[in-house]
Amino acid sequence: MTSTDTSRPARSSRSGVQDLAYITVFAALLVVLAFVAIPVGTAGVPIVLQNAAVILAGLVLGGRRGFLAVALFLGLGLIGLPVLAGGRTTLAALAGPTVGYLVGYLISAAVAGWIAYRAPARKRGVQAVYFILAGVIGLFLQYFFGALGLVWRAGLSIGEAALAQVPFLVPDAGKMAVMVIIALGIHAAFPDLLSRKK
């Protein structure tokens, strides 16, 4: 009885350190992807890999840890580090037309992760359905909040803001398919991630 009780804090401590490592690694990945951006459209919003990687964080880490990874990444930008596409800081983006996407990043990681972690561990077919659903809903949330930001900061109408998303649909669908495949591969290699239900 005593040995079981003393082992629980040790396991909890290891789990906390492991979670911190996961969160830090994904935040670092998001920062690295800031160097990949292709300007398109008329609203000043580039095609980036960060939006897909945000959802990947949720698919791999779950809602809570995925949210924290994105929060850490955006927090680094708040203290002046150029963490966003084009070398921008989070502070600079908050005053621009892409502010809504930053909100969407946080929410999409949390929601996509929550959905993905409802999938049963070690059942690849069912996991794929959950992960695809999580990716689609996560991407929709980014578009939704991104459009609201364009209405607020760029002075677009709702219709114009919705049309501004069109150039991103096909590239984002392709990126999302790749992220789902990567996430499924990671969970196949580390099935205990889903078992922990973070």
Side-chain angles (χ1 to χ4, degrees):
M1 182 73 173
T2 304
S3 61
T4 302
D5 290 341
T6 56
S7 67
R8 283 178 182 170
R11 282 198 298 269
S12 177
S13 177
R14 283 196 301 272
S15 176
V17 170
Q18 195 173 48
D19 286 350
L20 182 60
Y22 289 148
I23 290 165
T24 304
V25 165
F26 267 89
L29 173 64
L30 289 166
V31 172
V32 169
L33 291 177
F35 298 99
V36 182
I38 304 169
V40 296
T42 58
V45 181
I47 290 178
V48 297
L49 291 179
Q50 283 178 325
N51 70 320
V54 160
I55 295 175
L56 178 64
L59 296 180
V60 172
L61 302 181
R64 182 181 64 84
R65 292 180 302 195
F67 176 88
L68 290 174
V70 177
L72 175 58
F73 146 70
L74 292 176
L76 292 173
L78 283 175
I79 62 173
L81 296 180
V83 299
L84 296 174
R88 294 174 304 141
T89 66
T90 305
L91 276 176
L94 288 175
T98 59
V99 60
Y101 292 99
L102 302 186
V103 176
Y105 281 5
L106 285 166
I107 295 174
S108 67
V111 172
W114 184 86
I115 294 170
Y117 269 53
R118 306 280 74 75
R122 298 177 175 84
K123 293 187 178 180
R124 297 295 300 281
V126 181
Q127 281 180 20
V129 173
Y130 275 83
F131 283 24
I132 291 169
L133 178 64
V136 169
I137 292 175
L139 196 56
F140 168 78
L141 289 169
Q142 290 183 10
Y143 285 160
F144 176 76
F145 286 100
L148 292 181
L150 292 174
V151 169
W152 181 33
R153 293 293 192 186
L156 302 181
S157 68
I158 290 290
E160 290 169 335
L163 286 175
Q165 315 285 340
V166 172
F168 304 97
L169 292 176
V170 173
D172 281 347
K175 288 185 290 183
M176 200 51 54
V178 172
M179 295 302 135
V180 167
I181 291 169
I182 291 172
L184 286 171
I186 291 173
H187 282 290
F190 303 99
D192 287 342
L193 280 173
L194 271 180
S195 297
R196 291 173 63 190
K197 298 293 182 187
K198 286 286 183 182

